[in-house]
Amino acid sequence: INIKTNKMKKLNEQITYDSSTIESTLYDYKTNDLIVSFNSGASYMFNSVSETDYSIMKESESVGRSFNQIIRPYGGIKIEETNQELVK
């Protein structure tokens, strides 16, 4: 697990997982928004995720299983790709 944290103000935290389902998460401590990026390439934003639920998920033995049990019920919104390839 690779954790990058802004420790000065702890604004957000990005974690890359060794998971068959989840590639990474980005958690915003100010808004409590969580972006989950899947190995499939899809990303979803979950709003108002409590720090407790986020902590339980990121520290669990199976991130994918805890995501399904704890985070998925928040109801994510799919994030569209913003980096479109240029057509020549």
Side-chain angles (χ1 to χ4, degrees):
I1 295 176
N2 181 13
I3 301 176
K4 295 179 186 174
T5 306
N6 181 341
K7 292 191 186 291
M8 293 294 288
K9 297 179 184 174
K10 195 148 187 177
L11 298 176
N12 58 51
E13 178 176 69
Q14 183 171 6
I15 302 177
T16 303
Y17 300 93
D18 182 17
S19 165
S20 61
T21 310
I22 296 174
E23 180 184 353
S24 64
T25 56
L26 177 62
Y27 186 72
D28 187 320
Y29 284 94
K30 191 173 182 182
T31 63
N32 298 111
D33 290 337
L34 175 65
I35 297 175
V36 179
S37 298
F38 295 90
N39 291 330
S40 66
S43 294
Y44 289 80
M45 177 179 280
F46 297 85
N47 300 117
S48 302
V49 174
S50 73
E51 282 189 44
T52 301
D53 286 349
Y54 167 66
S55 293
I56 292 169
M57 186 203 75
K58 74 175 182 177
E59 294 168 8
S60 71
E61 194 171 306
S62 173
V63 177
R65 185 179 298 124
S66 63
F67 164 80
N68 283 326
Q69 293 173 348
I70 299 167
I71 306 301
R72 189 181 291 274
Y74 280 93
I77 301 163
K78 188 168 186 179
I79 299 172
E80 299 300 324
E81 291 292 327
T82 55
N83 52 348
Q84 300 293 329
E85 286 189 31
L86 294 175
V87 178
K88 293 183 181 180

